[in-house]
Amino acid sequence: DAETRLRLETHVETLRRDLDIEPDTAMAAECPPLPDGTTPAARARDLERDLRLMGPINPLALEEYQALQERHGFLTAQLEDVKSARRDLGKVIRAIDNEIMSVFASAYADVSTNFEALFETLFPGGKGQLRLTDPDNLLETGIEVEARPSGKNVKKLSLLSGGERSLTALAFLFAVFRSRPSPFYVLDEVEAALDDMNLHRFLDLLHEFRQEAQLLVVSHQKRTMEAADVLYGVTMQPGGSSRVLSEKVGAGT
């Protein structure tokens, strides 16, 4: 009898401590449904085993969950902002790409037309043209220069002589100048590889452009100097310092 009373008191204390409930309330509670063939004692053991497998209870789990939920909401909003900014940036990129392609196509058409005309001027009877390596992709395409002087059946620049390559490069350079004019141009010994005939054609080209812009030409060619309006030179006497000399030759002489 004493042992029974002790066990009863122990269970009552356990109810009050662990479940915060009085024995009468526990006795009046409805028994939860049990699986078929399972006794209340067996079900209780199963639940106790499940509790042990779950491990200790974290009393801060709810607070941590709420903090993580707030963090998740913040990151979700930030992600939506990034996606929205990415969409807007994509629209800007597409608009810029379209503008680049439009400007490039217009500039290429002008330069190509001017190059063909200037090439025929520098190479009478010859034919030169510009060709896009990838016409369907103006953002990535390259430009190839085809040059065929009179009497030659070649197009690649590598097969031309040094003077012909220089004159072809000058034709392309001045085609860009004519398409996108500038107040002045600086040319550094661009005619060094030209023979007398090609030099004469180059000077005619300079004379044509000098009507629209100022040309600053660095040269060691006497004929080029004779075509200038003003000459500037740098000299140094033995044992002295360098000195800049200038002389006005006269327009058109």
Side-chain angles (χ1 to χ4, degrees):
D1 183 64
E3 182 180 355
T4 302
R5 285 198 304 271
L6 179 61
R7 293 177 59 187
L8 183 59
E9 291 175 359
T10 302
H11 288 306
V12 170
E13 182 63 25
T14 301
L15 284 173
R16 292 172 175 171
R17 183 184 69 249
D18 296 343
L19 304 179
D20 193 20
I21 191 173
E22 292 296 327
D24 295 340
T25 304
M27 293 296 296
E30 183 179 355
C31 182
L34 299 175
D36 295 339
T38 302
T39 63
R43 180 58 178 164
R45 288 193 299 270
D46 293 339
L47 294 175
E48 290 176 354
R49 183 180 68 253
D50 292 341
L51 287 174
R52 288 194 300 271
L53 292 176
M54 290 174 60
I57 297 175
N58 181 11
L60 301 177
L62 182 59
E63 296 178 3
E64 293 176 357
Y65 169 76
Q66 293 174 348
L68 289 175
Q69 193 174 36
E70 293 177 0
R71 178 66 175 170
H72 178 266
F74 172 77
L75 292 178
T76 301
Q78 293 294 310
L79 180 60
E80 289 300 323
D81 290 343
V82 172
K83 290 181 179 179
S84 177
R86 182 178 180 180
R87 288 191 295 267
D88 294 340
L89 185 59
K91 294 178 182 179
V92 174
I93 291 175
R94 287 190 293 271
I96 293 176
D97 287 346
N98 292 334
E99 181 68 17
I100 290 174
M101 289 188 291
S102 176
V103 173
F104 174 79
S106 175
Y108 172 76
D110 292 342
V111 174
S112 179
T113 301
N114 291 327
F115 175 76
E116 294 179 8
L118 289 172
F119 189 87
E120 292 179 0
T121 300
L122 296 176
F123 293 92
K127 181 175 179 60
Q129 65 179 0
L130 303 179
R131 185 175 64 85
L132 297 177
T133 58
D134 189 0
D136 297 329
N137 185 6
L138 296 182
L139 294 176
E140 301 291 340
T141 185
I143 299 177
E144 289 187 353
V145 179
E146 295 183 354
R148 186 171 59 188
S150 177
K152 290 189 177 182
N153 192 26
V154 295
K155 294 183 178 180
K156 293 184 177 181
L157 293 180
S158 59
L159 300 179
L160 301 179
S161 65
E164 291 171 336
R165 287 199 297 268
S166 296
L167 213 56
T168 301
L170 288 172
F172 176 77
L173 183 64
F174 279 90
V176 175
F177 290 166
R178 180 166 291 175
S179 301
R180 297 294 184 270
S182 176
F184 64 90
Y185 306 106
V186 179
L187 306 174
D188 187 3
E189 297 189 43
V190 295
E191 86 289 33
L194 301 182
D195 56 21
D196 290 341
M197 180 61 67
N198 290 332
L199 180 60
H200 177 72
R201 295 170 183 168
F202 169 70
L203 294 178
D204 289 342
L205 191 62
L206 288 184
H207 180 72
E208 177 183 348
F209 273 80
R210 75 196 299 176
Q211 308 301 326
E212 304 172 358
Q214 185 176 16
L215 300 172
L216 305 178
V217 183
V218 179
S219 176
H220 293 287
Q221 295 278 6
K222 181 179 179 181
R223 291 180 59 186
T224 304
M225 299 179 190
E226 292 173 349
D229 296 330
V230 180
L231 293 177
Y232 292 94
V234 179
T235 183
M236 184 176 64
Q237 298 296 332
S241 59
S242 60
R243 186 163 58 97
V244 178
L245 302 177
S246 65
E247 181 175 349
K248 187 173 183 180
V249 179
T253 62

